[in-house]
Amino acid sequence: MTMVCLDMEGVLVPEIWIEVAKETGIEELKKTTRDEPDYDKLMKYRIDILNKHNLSIEKIQSIIAKIELMDGAKEFLDKLREITNVVIISDTFEQFLKPIAKKLNWPTIICNNLVIDENGKVIDYKMRCDQTKLTTVNAFHTIGIETIASGDSYNDIGMIKNSKAGFLFKSTEKIKSEYPEIKALETYDELFSEIKKAL
């Protein structure tokens, strides 16, 4: 049995934090896992900025509800789910996902959680486990499920390299140059074709 494991942001939807930055005008929120490999450092930085600007979870959710999928994402995911098992493994948060999941026709999404106080202020975050994406694909392997993985950022490299096949998708030139051994793809047609070959 094989499970295709896809990143979400940068692969199926635009980077959520960048969209929040555009909508609010808070430029500091444009930093993502493409820029900062240390996720804990990145999230503490983000939470500090949210609170400095009094940005509540309700405001963030209202912005996320307006985010459109990347062009062709739903069609790609629907086509892929017809031929294999697919799970989205994301370092985003459960509190962000409902409108995006609906637009993607409710795929299985494994993610993390924000800690929010009674006033709607984001005060912390909780990861499911260390190295969430790598740990998840390795857990699939322990129950006899092979994985094929794709993502665009530093936090996807572990799951890509530890799967029987893995691909960078719409990644940065910096990441592609640092990991030349990983095939880098730019279109959903290419990604579908490579996944199909690897099944």
Side-chain angles (χ1 to χ4, degrees), residues 12-163:
L12 299 169
V13 298
E15 294 282 348
I16 289 171
W17 291 98
I18 290 177
E19 296 302 306
V20 172
K22 287 179 187 172
E23 184 77 15
T24 59
I26 304 169
E27 287 294 309
E28 302 100 308
L29 288 176
K30 286 187 175 176
K31 186 182 281 191
T32 72
T33 51
R34 290 178 168 204
D35 311 301
E36 176 53 72
D38 185 331
Y39 194 74
D40 183 60
K41 183 177 174 183
L42 179 62
M43 277 308 301
K44 285 175 178 169
Y45 166 84
R46 285 168 168 167
I47 291 168
D48 283 345
I49 292 165
L50 293 180
N51 293 326
K52 186 172 104 180
H53 292 272
N54 296 311
L55 206 57
S56 68
I57 188 63
E58 290 81 8
K59 175 63 177 171
I60 298 166
Q61 287 170 330
S62 72
I63 294 168
I64 292 169
K66 300 179 203 172
I67 295 175
E68 294 301 327
L69 305 178
M70 290 166 65
D71 191 30
K74 183 179 182 300
E75 294 77 9
F76 160 74
L77 191 58
D78 286 347
K79 189 175 165 186
L80 193 58
R81 289 164 77 187
E82 287 178 7
I83 64 165
T84 189
N85 304 294
V86 181
V87 63
I88 296 168
I89 306 175
S90 177
D91 276 342
T92 193
F93 303 97
E94 194 172 354
Q95 292 88 347
F96 288 2
L97 285 181
K98 196 168 183 181
I100 293 169
K102 184 176 182 180
K103 289 172 186 174
L104 287 169
N105 197 25
W106 305 107
T108 299
I109 303 173
I110 300 172
C111 62
N112 304 305
N113 272 286
L114 292 170
V115 180
I116 298 160
D117 73 9
E118 64 278 6
N119 300 311
K121 178 181 175 182
V122 180
I123 56 172
D124 203 356
Y125 73 100
K126 286 188 178 175
M127 304 297 276
R128 291 178 297 105
C129 53
D130 288 335
Q131 301 185 71
T132 54
K133 297 181 183 190
L134 172 60
T135 302
T136 303
V137 297
N138 284 341
F140 282 133
H141 301 161
T142 67
I143 56 171
I145 298 174
E146 293 185 310
T147 57
I148 298 169
S150 184
D152 68 316
S153 295
Y154 283 107
N155 62 342
D156 300 309
I157 299 298
M159 75 168 180
I160 290 171
K161 292 184 85 168
N162 283 273
S163 292

